[in-house]
Amino acid sequence: MDFISIDVETANPNMASICQIGVVRYSDGVLREEWESFVDPNDYFDGMNIAIHGITEEEVAGAPAFKELYPELTRWLGDSVVICHTHFDRLAIVRACDQHFIAHPSCQWLDSSRVARRAWSKFAWKGYGLANLCNELGYTFSHHNALEDAKAAAQVFLAACQETGLDVAGWIERVEKPVELGGTGSGADIRRDGNPDGTFFGDVIAFTGALAFPRKEAADLAASVGFRVSSSVTKKVTTLVVGVASPRFLVHSRR
């Protein structure tokens, strides 16, 4: 039960524009150390981002740039298992490293949102965002502060460990498997989490009608390019694949 949890905030839609980092270290499931820092992204601050986290250009004035903080960051991450909630923080660190032509941290990433989807199907209707999960779990925190979010992601992970009996190693193995295992061919066993490196990560796909090949294969293909596969058509579905016996049955409507 030893791991690191991290969160970052960004100045604008460019994921490399990190303006705050928060990191916590857990040993035997207990918080041992914490570290946070503002970061000068050497980039503009978008109004939408400021509205989310409240960090402004004035607040980070005089703060170190990402490259200056990199040695301290790698000291924390090292060869550890690093928890982050969704792929965002991992990709932000990777993009910032690429922007400064420095090596990616040699850690093993573990997405606590993927953990949560496998630990609690009952939360699916409210979503697996950090705020929703913490509200359901009774953990109070100040959202969109990097250190607070890092602690919140750690609490989600610890609660999932308690719920399932899995430890860090167990979850590293479990997140690579489908959300629903087994089944008898029902819609539930085609649910998949999307590949976080896929082009369509963040989109939700559903299949209906008669497909030319097994639906499980379609689900695997969709998940490999980033889609989260839903077993039914809901408001969260962004892409709907309709299998039809013949194109002549399709009716096109133009506005």
Side-chain angles (χ1 to χ4, degrees):
M1 293 301 297
D2 296 351
F3 62 90
I4 302 294
S5 183
I6 190 170
D7 184 87
V8 303
E9 302 296 332
T10 58
N12 58 59
N14 175 13
M15 295 180 76
S17 65
I18 295 173
C19 61
Q20 187 184 38
I21 300 176
V23 189
V24 291
R25 184 190 307 278
Y26 279 74
S27 179
D28 296 326
V30 177
L31 176 63
R32 306 293 186 183
E33 294 181 84
E34 59 185 59
W35 171 68
E36 65 176 326
S37 178
F38 282 127
V39 184
D40 184 351
N42 294 311
D43 205 345
Y44 76 99
F45 277 71
D46 188 274
M48 181 69 73
N49 293 62
I50 295 173
I52 291 172
H53 52 55
I55 301 169
T56 63
E57 187 173 357
E58 290 73 26
E59 283 190 272
V60 304
F66 180 83
K67 193 170 185 178
E68 296 173 79
L69 285 174
Y70 179 76
E72 178 67 9
L73 183 63
T74 54
R75 184 186 75 81
W76 278 87
L77 303 189
D79 295 316
S80 303
V81 173
V82 179
I83 306 288
C84 61
H85 200 76
T86 78
H87 69 301
F88 181 86
D89 308 280
R90 175 179 65 84
L91 286 184
I93 300 251
V94 167
R95 300 275 174 83
C97 287
D98 290 344
Q99 181 171 286
H100 293 283
F101 303 101
I102 49 182
H104 302 168
S106 58
C107 56
Q108 181 163 14
W109 295 94
L110 182 56
D111 185 342
S112 54
S113 72
R114 299 181 70 191
V115 169
R117 287 188 180 95
R118 288 156 176 79
W120 300 288
S121 60
K122 64 181 180 180
F123 295 158
W125 68 282
K126 283 193 174 180
Y128 291 97
L130 193 56
N132 286 339
L133 286 170
C134 288
N135 183 59
E136 293 294 325
L137 295 170
Y139 179 76
T140 303
F141 71 113
S142 179
H143 200 14
H144 297 304
N145 169 276
L147 184 61
E148 287 277 298
D149 284 1
K151 291 179 180 179
Q155 289 302 312
V156 168
F157 178 69
L158 289 170
C161 291
Q162 184 174 7
E163 177 76 15
T164 62
L166 295 176
D167 59 7
V168 174
W171 273 115
I172 289 172
E173 181 180 355
R174 177 67 183 89
V175 294
E176 298 304 321
K177 298 176 182 178
V179 173
E180 296 275 345
L181 296 177
T184 58
S186 67
D189 61 12
I190 72 160
R191 296 182 205 172
R192 304 284 189 274
D193 269 358
N195 172 12
D197 294 321
T199 303
F200 299 99
F201 188 79
D203 286 333
V204 181
I205 195 170
F207 300 95
T208 186
L211 302 183
F213 53 94
R215 206 164 283 198
K216 283 187 176 182
E217 292 182 23
D220 289 339
L221 286 170
S224 71
V225 294
F227 284 109
R228 179 159 66 88
V229 182
S230 173
S231 62
S232 61
V233 181
T234 70
K235 291 189 294 184
K236 294 183 179 180
V237 169
T238 58
T239 301
L240 179 63
V241 177
V242 182
V244 294
S246 170
R248 67 189 178 88
F249 291 114
L250 288 177
V251 177
H252 296 277
S253 174
R254 298 193 180 195
R255 298 189 183 188

